[in-house]
Structure formats: C-alpha cells, structure tokens
Amino acid sequence: MEKTNNFQHLAANTTPIWQHQNHQQQQQQIERNIPTVHPATSFDARADADALHKAMKGLGTDEKALMAILCHRSNGQRVLISQAYKSGYGKDLESKLKSELSGNFERVMVSLCLSTADFMAREMYEAMAGLGTDDEALVEVLCSSTNQEIREMNAAYLRAYGHSMEKDIIGDTSGTFKMMLVSLVQGGRDENESGLDEHKIRSDTQRLYQAGEARLGTDETAFNSILATRSWAHLRHVMAEYQSMFGKSLEKAVMSEFSGNAEKVLLGILQCAVNRNVYFAQRLRDSMKGLGTNNRTLIRLIVGHWDTDLGNIQQEYEKKFLRSLAADVVDETSGDYRRALMALLGSKNYLQ
C-alpha cells in the first residue's frame, strides 16, 4: 500500500467536535503536559560534555554512553551541554557527532544537540531546501505551533540562514496554500481560550458558510482569516455551530470546497483545534503505516515533543489505535536508532 499522510482520512476518522461536551473540550486544552523524559536532577553540563568527549575519543564510539546522556536531559540542559562541549574542546558537538555516527541514529543524536526552536527551524528549512517541498511538514509545524514557538522558530531561522522563514515559504509555495502559510508564520493566533464572544462565533460561522457552500466558487480569504487567527476554543465553537446551523461538519465543508495543500492546511488547523495530541498521534501513525517509514517525520515528532507533551500523545495514540506507540516504533525501527527513540519514549529498557 502506498504510504501517504491522508488528511481526508484524518478528518473522516476523528470524532466530530460537535459530539463533545463543551466542558470536555475545555478540559483537554488545559490538561497538563506529560513529558516522557524529565530533566536530570544532579546536572553538571561540564561533566556531561567530558563524558561525551570520552565516548567519542579514539577508535570506535560508545553509543550507549551518548544515549545515556543526550536522551536523558531536558532541552535546556542539552543546550548547556553543547555550549560546555564547544568551550572545552573547541568544536561543535553537532559536528563531532556527525563525524562519528551515521543514518537515522545520527539524525536523532544531532537533533538532540539543538534547542527546540533551532531544531524546528532546521526542519522547516530542510522541508523547503532543494528540489521539491515537504508540504506536509510545513503544514504540521505551522498548524500546530503556538505563537511563542513560531516567534522563536522565526528568530532561529533568521540566525541560521540569514533570511526569514517567510521568504522561503513565499519562494517555495504558491496560491492559496502560500497565503495560508504566510498567515500562520506570523504567529498571530488569538490565544485567549476564555471569554468567548457568542456573536462573533455566529458571525464567523455564517461567514464561512457564505464563503463556501452558499456560493459558486470559494472565498479562500474568508476561510484563511478565520482559521489562521481565531483561538482554538473559538474554532471549536464555530465547528459546533456550523454543524448545528447547516447539518454538516466544517471539516466536510472544507473537503468539498478545497483540495490539495490548501485542504491539508485547513484540516490540520481544525484537527489541532479539536485536540492537538490526537493530531500528532495520527501524524505518528501515518509515518509508520504502509510500506516503509517516514523517518524524518517520526524523528521530528518524537524529538520535538519528548520533554513537553509526548506522554499525552502516547496516551491518545493508544486510545485511537489500540496499541502503544512504543510497540509500533519497535516494529518499524532497529539498532541504535530504535534504542534512542525508545529512550526518548521513556522506556527503562531501551538498550534491550
């Protein structure tokens, strides 16, 4: 079976938001984040840097020692380790790891040398570099990120590549898809999840209907201006109101009015409004189902979330697919690559 990330399948197989009670919707958004690995309590960046140097000194590499440190430190701790390594040994930890490792294991360990903002900026750059564009990576990152995450990513992108992320998006995308991504990369979503305006909810619902199903053709700017800027709570209520007023889910309306990448980005936004953790769980599942594994997506989702909310995503994965994320990772990966991912998933037996 051909491996694709089917956003229509994602929408069709997620419980419509109008079937949830409002208090349940609100509760899921304030649920505390559950990391899979916690910061080291007795942390010494210099000692960790020295241990990493020892693990890569001379012939051969002690991969277990590398994982024992880099897979068991928080993002902030790993940044300090990288700084201590460079000050102590006069070279980048990233460069040293690249010279010692290879394949997907190298990609995981190198990613762990970067701050989350630097890592996600690199993911965005690589999604647009060279021939072709990884549109689904762009959708995943920009649809799901908070304003602060986008601001930090924009700053990291500018530092690393000397120009804005928006400039590359404009150069690599086109049409309605470009308009939507440019809107999202501004990081201008309303993040006030309380104090909802019922009049605005009804007005936006009616506006979306008039921009789509009520007319010939589609007013793409109306969909963009609402879905790219309104709060998650507001969008959930708009989805419920749309179903109530017009007897059809907003997801299905989007699927009938849009196609291609524009459809993917709008469905991605709606899925994140419903439940970001379920959205990420589906993305993880898509990266591993069918023939082959999309290792870039798998690594991005695990490395990008393991010290924040990967525990929440694991819970949703098991509820949705009736098997653990760890079990699927074991089936789809091997060797030190598997061991590193299992460590990030919180496994105590990751070396087995």
Side-chain angles (χ1 to χ4, degrees):
M1 180 177 65
E2 182 181 1
K3 179 184 288 294
T4 60
N5 286 323
N6 192 321
F7 281 74
Q8 288 190 353
H9 174 80
L10 178 62
N13 289 276
T14 300
T15 304
I17 188 62
W18 53 272
Q19 293 185 7
H20 295 276
Q21 296 297 320
N22 286 343
H23 73 277
Q24 292 173 321
Q25 298 166 352
Q26 294 162 359
Q27 183 180 17
Q28 73 181 17
Q29 298 302 313
I30 61 174
E31 179 183 26
R32 69 181 182 88
N33 284 342
I34 305 173
T36 51
V37 179
H38 297 273
T41 53
S42 300
F43 173 65
D44 184 334
R46 169 56 56 202
D48 282 348
D50 290 342
L52 291 172
H53 176 71
K54 181 180 178 181
M56 295 183 283
K57 186 178 180 181
L59 295 176
T61 303
D62 186 348
E63 290 86 357
K64 293 180 181 179
L66 299 181
M67 287 184 276
I69 295 173
L70 293 177
C71 295
H72 294 88
R73 302 292 186 270
S74 69
N75 184 271
Q77 290 175 337
R78 287 182 279 111
V79 170
L80 293 175
I81 292 169
S82 293
Q83 293 170 352
Y85 189 92
K86 189 168 187 177
S87 67
Y89 298 101
K91 62 181 70 175
D92 288 327
L93 178 57
E94 176 183 351
S95 299
K96 182 62 175 175
L97 288 168
K98 285 182 176 179
S99 71
E100 296 288 328
L101 309 175
S102 63
N104 289 316
F105 179 57
E106 173 199 328
R107 186 170 189 85
V108 173
M109 303 310 284
V110 167
S111 298
L112 293 174
C113 295
L114 306 174
S115 70
T116 300
D118 288 334
F119 170 61
M120 297 310 292
R122 179 176 294 184
E123 287 294 295
M124 290 292 289
Y125 178 80
E126 292 184 354
M128 295 182 281
L131 295 176
T133 302
D134 186 348
D135 299 310
E136 291 183 348
L138 303 183
V139 170
E140 175 199 303
V141 174
L142 291 180
C143 284
S144 64
S145 296
T146 66
N147 291 345
Q148 181 65 24
E149 288 167 343
I150 290 174
R151 284 192 291 269
E152 291 175 356
M153 203 187 316
N154 278 328
Y157 201 101
L158 184 60
R159 285 195 307 271
Y161 306 111
H163 58 268
S164 70
M165 182 158 58
E166 179 181 337
K167 179 180 179 181
D168 280 347
I169 289 172
I170 291 171
D172 273 71
T173 60
S174 61
T176 303
F177 184 51
K178 176 172 72 174
M179 173 183 67
M180 293 173 177
L181 293 188
V182 169
S183 293
L184 291 172
V185 82
Q186 306 310 310
R189 185 176 300 284
D190 178 5
E191 293 185 328
N192 180 12
E193 293 293 304
S194 60
L196 293 170
D197 184 334
E198 294 298 327
H199 173 74
K200 192 174 182 180
I201 290 169
R202 287 192 294 271
S203 175
D204 280 351
T205 304
Q206 188 65 44
R207 186 180 170 201
L208 289 171
Y209 180 73
Q210 293 298 328
E213 294 185 283
R215 56 174 283 171
L216 289 174
T218 305
D219 180 358
E220 295 91 350
T221 59
F223 278 84
N224 181 65
S225 65
I226 292 171
L227 270 64
T229 64
R230 301 295 193 257
S231 72
W232 298 134
H234 180 92
L235 290 179
R236 290 195 297 274
H237 282 75
V238 167
M239 295 166 79
E241 188 75 6
Y242 198 99
Q243 177 70 42
S244 176
M245 291 177 67
F246 307 115
K248 183 178 184 179
S249 73
L250 183 54
E251 298 102 312
K252 290 183 178 178
V254 166
M255 290 161 63
S256 65
E257 295 294 322
F258 294 86
S259 61
N261 288 324
E263 176 189 346
K264 291 177 183 179
V265 72
L266 292 176
L267 289 178
I269 291 170
L270 293 178
Q271 291 301 322
C272 287
V274 174
N275 189 321
R276 284 204 318 164
N277 293 325
V278 172
Y279 172 76
F280 291 134
Q282 183 69 59
R283 289 286 294 158
L284 282 162
R285 178 68 169 176
D286 287 343
S287 75
M288 294 183 283
K289 72 180 183 181
L291 295 175
T293 300
N294 187 330
N295 291 294
R296 181 180 291 275
T297 298
L298 180 61
I299 292 169
R300 180 175 61 250
L301 286 164
I302 292 179
V303 170
H305 293 271
W306 67 283
D307 63 350
T308 53
D309 56 0
L310 187 54
N312 308 77
I313 298 168
Q314 283 183 300
Q315 291 176 357
E316 296 295 348
Y317 192 99
E318 189 160 356
K319 283 194 288 186
K320 187 173 180 63
F321 304 113
L322 303 180
R323 60 183 282 117
S324 71
L325 174 58
D328 281 344
V329 168
V330 167
D331 286 346
E332 294 292 325
T333 60
S334 61
D336 286 325
Y337 175 42
R338 174 196 290 170
R339 296 183 187 98
L341 292 184
M342 291 302 293
L344 297 177
L345 289 171
S347 171
K348 302 300 182 184
N349 301 313
Y350 67 95
L351 292 177
Q352 295 182 359

